[in-house]
């Protein structure tokens, strides 16, 4: 028994993410490690580490503290007092903060979870009505005037951030989103927790939707800034607010962020834990990204003592990639096109990967494929990855020519599934702004008016107050 425990303890690897936390106070032995391994696997994705919500933590790891902090430390002595926050840090250039009329209340506690909602007082509701009038006027200057009077009105900050981003003022757009998040965090209920994974917010309530959207936009700014690890933590945070319904469809993004920050083992564990009840393998992004994670781990474990583990990951990566290509053949040609790779004639002329594979797929599947390829193609451009892809494409063609029963089974599955995309996927595509995916949105989505502060609101919204007739 002790030899088995020692073996488990040797194979168990503590992720960097657990350093400097309360777990470091535990006594790590060959007996405690295997006992705690199931606990770590379970909380790995649900638990948020507050230090990872700060992009400076990631930038310091890349460039060093001196390069990131610069001469900030001496100046901090003259700073005015601000409330301590985790998601964003107030700046001296911001307007003076006074409570804008937002609060949070606890609705109920059930099954170890706490359900919260944001609330607007009467004065804030009046500002909200003025904001809706300003939006309908189609003049951004009206929103600017409203913000001068109410500098922490959330929807005005979100809408004006979009205007600044379209005008390529990225710094101002990012600053407005950070100001909105600061306003939200100052309104948190004392029991509400960003890190525990047990606090829930209902997206159907309009007051809560702005918090989701501010988090999503902030996460996208972080990813573009070159902080994928911090963006991943915010992605987990958004998913934890409502993992069952996933209103912003974060499962279509989490694999990309895991690959960007090289958290390959975390992505694989998420897939293994959620596959049984969420059918993640039916999403093209998980089918391909999990295979890519196994491939990267096989390249990483090339030391002599881990040769067996490397071979296991390589074998798994080959099987998963071939199954993904058989299930989603329409991914290959657009992916190679965006990678500026010319496939050989044996592949391009074969009907399995030819134009027929794209033309014959359901529109819902075409939307998912376009989203995945448009977002992640840059991660497939590495020469080693392309060689691995080429090897498995030829393996798939051999299986197709040999009439592997899985090929016919996947054709039937594609016809039965993917009849239509749920509303949260359309909402994710709109927020992601990936042109390949936006062009594949159905007409019933593209022909309706779209507001940046509330794109595609749920059909079963639960409004707390109604706008008076004008």
């Amino acid at each position: 028994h002790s030899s088995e425990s020692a073996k488990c303890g040797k194979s168990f690897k503590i992720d960097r993410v657990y350093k400097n936390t309360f777990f470091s106070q535990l006594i790590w032995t060959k007996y405690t490690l295997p006992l705690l391994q199931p606990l770590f696997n379970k909380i790995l994705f649900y638990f948020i580490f507050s230090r990872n919500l700060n992009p400076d933590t990631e930038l310091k790891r890349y460039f060093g503290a001196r390069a990131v902090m610069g001469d900030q430390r001496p100046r901090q002595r003259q700073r005015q007092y601000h409330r301590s926050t985790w998601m964003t840090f107030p700046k001296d250039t911001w307007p003076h903060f006074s409570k804008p009329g937002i609060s949070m209340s606890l609705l109920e506690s059930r099954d170890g979870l706490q359900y919260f909602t944001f609330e607007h007082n009467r004065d804030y509701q009046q500002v909200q009505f003025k904001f809706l009038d300003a939006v309908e006027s189609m003049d951004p200057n009206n929103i600017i005037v409203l913000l001068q009077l109410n500098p922490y009105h959330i929807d005005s900050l979100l809408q004006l951030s979009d205007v600044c981003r379209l005008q390529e003022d990225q710094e101002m757009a990012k600053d407005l989103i950070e100001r909105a998040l600061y306003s939200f965090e100052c309104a948190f209920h004392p029991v509400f927790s960003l890190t525990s994974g047990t606090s829930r917010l209902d997206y159907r309530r309009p007051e809560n939707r702005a918090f989701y959207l501010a988090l999503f936009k902030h996460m996208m700014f972080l990813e573009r800034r070159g902080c994928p690890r911090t963006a991943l933590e915010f992605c987990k945070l958004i998913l934890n607010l409502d993992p069952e319904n996933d209103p912003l469809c974060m499962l279509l993004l989490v694999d990309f962020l895991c690959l960007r920050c090289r958290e390959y083992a975390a992505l694989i564990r998420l897939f293994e834990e959620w596959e049984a009840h969420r059918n993640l393998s039916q999403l093209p992004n998980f089918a391909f990204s999990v295979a890519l994670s196994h491939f990267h781990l096989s390249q990483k474990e090339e030391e002599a003592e881990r040769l067996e583990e490397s071979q296991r990951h390589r074998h798994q990566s080959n099987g998963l990639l071939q199954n993904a290509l058989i299930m989603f053949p329409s991914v290959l040609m657009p992916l190679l096109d965006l990678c500026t790779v010319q496939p050989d004639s044996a592949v391009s002329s074969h009907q399995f990967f030819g134009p027929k594979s794209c033309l014959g797929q359901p529109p819902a599947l075409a939307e998912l494929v376009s989203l995945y390829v448009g977002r992640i193609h840059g991660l497939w451009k590495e020469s080693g990855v392309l060689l691995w892809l080429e090897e498995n494409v030829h393996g798939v063609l051999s299986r197709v020519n040999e009439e592997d029963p899985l090929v016919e089974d996947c054709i039937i599955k594609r016809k039965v599934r993917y009849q239509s995309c749920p509303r949260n996927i359309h909402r994710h595509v709109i927020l992601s702004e990936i042109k390949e995916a936006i062009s594949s949105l159905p007409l019933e989505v593209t022909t309706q008016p779209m507001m940046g502060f509330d794109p595609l609101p749920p059909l079963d919204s639960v409004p707390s107050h109604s706008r008076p007739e004008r």
Side-chain angles (χ1 to χ4, degrees):
H1 176 75
S2 60
S3 63
E4 290 181 2
S5 299
K7 184 178 179 182
C8 291
K10 183 179 179 181
S11 64
F12 181 63
K13 185 177 181 181
I14 305 172
D15 290 275
R16 296 189 306 274
V17 76
Y18 294 118
K19 292 182 180 179
N20 301 323
T21 67
F22 63 90
F23 293 108
S24 61
Q25 300 172 12
L26 296 173
I27 300 174
W28 300 107
T29 70
K30 64 182 181 181
Y31 302 109
T32 56
L33 281 172
L35 293 174
L36 291 170
Q37 183 171 357
L39 172 66
F40 279 122
N41 288 342
K42 186 172 183 179
I43 69 168
L44 177 69
F45 202 78
Y46 291 102
F47 200 84
I48 307 295
F49 292 88
S50 57
R51 67 189 301 271
N52 289 333
L53 294 173
N54 184 357
D56 287 347
T57 303
E58 186 171 4
L59 293 173
K60 286 176 189 176
R61 193 162 63 243
Y62 297 151
F63 307 110
R66 181 173 296 181
V68 174
M69 301 302 293
D71 58 348
Q72 290 182 22
R73 290 178 183 172
R75 286 196 315 229
Q76 285 180 349
R77 295 173 185 171
Q78 287 96 34
R79 283 187 60 175
Q80 55 181 325
Y81 171 76
H82 291 291
R83 175 175 172 171
S84 176
T85 51
W86 283 354
M87 295 188 297
T88 58
F89 302 96
K91 300 175 182 177
D92 294 333
T93 55
W94 288 359
H96 174 71
F97 180 79
S98 60
K99 290 189 176 181
I102 301 176
S103 60
M104 178 185 273
S105 64
L106 175 62
L107 296 177
E108 62 172 334
S109 297
R110 186 177 68 249
D111 301 327
L113 303 175
Q114 293 82 42
Y115 295 84
F116 297 87
T117 185
F118 285 102
E119 294 178 338
H120 298 166
N121 65 15
R122 188 174 298 276
D123 291 338
Y124 192 95
Q125 290 176 20
Q126 296 302 316
V127 177
Q128 185 71 12
F129 298 148
K130 292 177 182 176
F131 164 75
L132 296 175
D133 292 341
V135 170
E136 290 178 356
S137 72
M138 304 295 289
D139 185 358
N141 292 316
N142 292 333
I143 300 177
I144 294 173
V145 171
L146 188 63
L147 264 180
Q148 288 173 344
L149 300 173
N150 307 275
Y152 288 91
H153 179 254
I154 302 296
D155 284 349
S156 296
L157 291 168
L158 296 180
Q159 191 72 16
L160 190 59
S161 174
D162 284 346
V163 173
C164 292
R165 191 167 43 79
L166 292 173
Q167 295 176 351
E168 299 186 355
D169 189 351
Q170 300 293 332
E171 195 59 34
M172 177 57 73
K174 179 173 73 72
D175 190 75
L176 293 169
I177 295 298
E178 291 177 358
R179 204 197 301 180
L181 284 176
Y182 179 74
S183 182
F184 271 124
E185 192 164 358
C186 290
F188 281 173
H189 189 279
V191 182
F192 183 81
S193 172
L194 290 172
T195 58
S196 67
T198 60
S199 298
R200 300 287 184 265
L201 283 173
D202 190 349
Y203 192 81
R204 294 176 302 167
R205 295 177 179 268
E207 296 85 355
N208 295 340
R209 291 206 284 271
F211 183 55
Y212 276 90
L213 295 170
L215 287 172
F216 189 95
K217 293 172 187 289
H218 183 59
M219 176 196 65
M220 297 303 292
F221 279 122
L222 288 169
E223 192 276 326
R224 295 185 189 117
R225 185 184 172 187
C227 299
R229 183 63 189 85
T230 312
L232 174 61
E233 210 69 10
F234 274 92
C235 178
K236 290 159 57 178
L237 171 57
I238 298 170
L239 185 56
N240 283 346
L241 293 176
D242 191 354
E244 294 301 319
N245 298 307
D246 193 10
L248 299 187
C249 224
M250 304 311 295
L251 287 176
L252 295 178
L253 177 64
V254 66
D255 63 297
F256 168 69
L257 294 175
C258 283
L259 290 171
R260 283 270 283 117
C261 60
R262 302 180 181 180
E263 293 285 347
Y264 307 125
L267 177 59
I268 293 170
R269 282 198 291 267
L270 170 66
F271 176 77
E272 291 172 348
E273 184 178 334
W274 286 32
E275 167 63 11
H277 65 284
R278 297 297 287 269
N279 295 320
L280 297 183
S281 58
Q282 295 184 25
L283 296 172
N285 60 307
F286 267 95
F288 283 89
S289 293
V290 172
L292 187 56
S293 293
H294 277 289
F295 171 76
H296 282 301
L297 286 176
S298 73
Q299 303 297 104
K300 194 177 180 181
E301 311 284 6
E302 288 185 342
E303 298 88 348
E305 65 272 14
R306 298 194 175 185
L307 184 59
E308 185 178 342
E309 188 175 352
S310 173
Q311 292 174 344
R312 180 179 64 83
H313 281 300
R314 185 59 182 262
H315 178 73
Q316 283 185 284
S317 69
N318 291 339
L320 289 169
L321 181 58
Q322 290 189 23
N323 290 343
L325 287 166
I326 291 173
M327 183 64 195
F328 307 107
S330 59
V331 168
L332 180 65
M333 300 310 288
L335 180 62
L336 293 179
D337 183 51
L338 287 175
C339 292
T340 63
V341 173
Q342 182 67 35
D344 59 40
S345 57
V347 175
S348 57
S349 62
H350 200 286
Q351 62 175 358
F352 188 73
F353 288 122
K356 187 179 178 182
S357 66
C358 294
L359 296 174
Q361 65 182 342
L365 180 56
E367 186 175 340
L368 290 172
V369 168
S370 300
L371 178 70
Y372 176 70
V373 172
R375 169 176 283 148
I376 210 167
H377 62 88
L379 301 180
W380 287 83
K381 288 185 176 181
E382 299 176 24
S383 58
V385 173
L386 288 173
L387 288 172
W388 167 67
L389 175 62
E390 180 184 12
E391 172 191 332
N392 284 284
V393 165
H394 287 291
V396 167
L397 291 181
S398 298
R399 292 173 66 177
V400 172
N401 295 332
E402 293 168 4
E403 298 183 355
D404 188 322
L406 179 64
V407 177
E408 187 63 31
D409 183 50
C410 288
I411 292 174
I412 295 171
K413 287 179 180 177
R414 285 197 299 273
K415 290 179 179 178
V416 174
R417 302 167 184 171
Y418 314 106
Q419 295 300 315
S420 63
C421 277
R423 200 170 178 85
N424 61 338
I425 291 181
H426 297 323
R427 190 181 299 123
H428 178 94
V429 169
I430 292 166
L431 288 170
S432 298
E433 298 181 342
I434 295 173
K435 60 181 181 180
E436 292 87 357
I438 289 177
S439 62
S440 64
L441 285 169
L443 281 175
E444 62 265 21
V445 174
T446 56
T447 53
Q448 60 180 284
M450 205 70 61
M451 297 298 176
F453 66 93
D454 191 8
L456 286 184
L459 299 176
D460 55 348
S461 257
V462 185
S464 60
H465 54 269
S466 57
R467 183 182 179 189
E469 293 184 9
R470 297 181 62 189

